[in-house]
Amino acid sequence: KNVFKRKIILNYISRLLYLGTNIAAKEVIVMLKIILLHMLALAAPTCAFIKLDPRISSTSLMTTSTVTEISETTLPDWTSDFGRSKEKLIVGEWDDDEDSYDSTEYRRKGGWKGTDFMHSKNSAVRVLRYYADYKKDSVGTSLEGIVEFTPNAESHSGYCHGGSMCAVFDDAIGWCGFLANGSCAPWSGFTAQINTALAQPVPCGSILCIKARITKRDDRKVYIEAELTDPGNENLVHATGEGLFILKRTMPE
């Protein structure tokens, strides 16, 4: 873990040396803050959040020595009232973020071969929890969740891979589709199409909000729109997306 942090520090130092005078002073300050942040993490392997330049970063950066246990992650203030008026989804095939529940046995008995790509404690980008709000006749039914982008999702210079953002939309649109008939019915359909527009890069360690909402339904076709934002940074929009979800003709038992 410390080796990984040293690599991040060296990466930023190398970038500063490479860019030289072609980088703005504010960018230098931000990068120096990130270097200091990871140096502090090496000295004290606990969780901390440092507010960086809001132009390019989330206000919630994680510097924990491990990214696999949510109990070691301090959530930002905006999550305290998150989903309070909505129904939290409790799904046996996921790892729960607040309890010691381990989904391994449930998944084994259900025929799964590994861990959940988006909800496991070891996921590079992990949906910590989902909340549902049901509306009559599907349209308006919505889903919102808290998403952790760990350093394992890194692509370039401290930012997460664009594919990690797209994966969040795939998951959120799918689970929003499962709500189409007035309750959460996992695997009652499948995501047929997703279009995403990436607006702002996501710094490693960010904790963001994903929201999805059913905008139209045509028989088994469910149309869903979604957005990935940072409520701690004036709801900065990192990405938007839309998808088509197809309900199965026969609902799963």
Side-chain angles (χ1 to χ4, degrees), residues 4-214:
F4 177 76
K5 293 183 184 299
R6 291 190 184 98
K7 286 183 178 180
I8 293 178
I9 294 170
L10 290 174
N11 182 32
Y12 276 99
I13 292 174
S14 298
R15 188 182 177 196
L16 281 170
L17 292 174
Y18 174 77
L19 293 173
T21 58
N22 295 321
I23 184 171
K26 287 185 178 180
E27 294 285 345
V28 173
I29 292 172
V30 170
M31 292 173 71
L32 288 173
K33 283 183 178 180
I34 294 175
I35 291 171
L36 177 60
L37 180 146
H38 286 287
M39 291 178 69
L40 289 172
L42 284 172
T46 57
C47 294
F49 290 91
I50 297 180
K51 185 174 182 180
L52 302 182
D53 190 332
R55 292 183 307 108
I56 66 169
S57 69
S58 164
T59 56
S60 305
L61 290 185
M62 181 180 63
T63 60
T64 179
S65 61
T66 177
V67 297
T68 60
E69 294 292 338
I70 187 57
S71 60
E72 297 184 20
T73 301
T74 303
L75 296 176
D77 292 340
W78 62 263
T79 64
S80 59
D81 294 325
F82 191 82
R84 178 163 292 184
S85 61
K86 299 176 174 60
E87 177 184 317
K88 181 181 178 182
L89 298 190
I90 305 296
V91 182
E93 67 203 59
W94 299 347
D95 290 335
D96 191 275
D97 65 296
E98 295 177 318
D99 304 317
S100 58
Y101 174 75
D102 187 341
S103 64
T104 303
E105 185 63 17
Y106 180 96
R107 294 178 65 83
R108 186 188 65 80
K109 290 181 178 179
W112 279 278
K113 304 301 182 183
T115 58
D116 192 283
F117 183 70
M118 294 296 301
H119 299 267
S120 167
K121 291 181 174 67
N122 297 314
S123 298
V125 54
R126 180 187 178 197
V127 177
L128 303 181
R129 61 192 77 158
Y130 274 142
Y131 294 92
D133 185 21
Y134 301 96
K135 302 297 182 183
K136 186 178 179 180
D137 300 325
S138 298
V139 175
T141 292
S142 62
L143 181 80
E144 60 183 28
I146 301 170
V147 188
E148 175 188 9
F149 288 82
T150 79
N152 290 335
E154 187 175 39
S155 174
H156 175 68
S157 299
Y159 292 101
C160 292
H161 195 288
S164 66
M165 301 164 72
C166 295
V168 172
F169 281 94
D170 187 4
D171 193 76
I173 288 173
W175 280 94
C176 188
F178 294 156
L179 309 178
N181 287 323
S183 63
C184 183
W187 317 116
S188 54
F190 54 89
T191 305
Q193 182 178 347
I194 294 177
N195 297 316
T196 57
L198 308 183
Q200 296 288 338
V202 175
C204 294
S206 297
I207 294 181
L208 304 179
C209 171
I210 181 69
K211 292 184 178 181
R213 183 174 67 90
I214 297 175

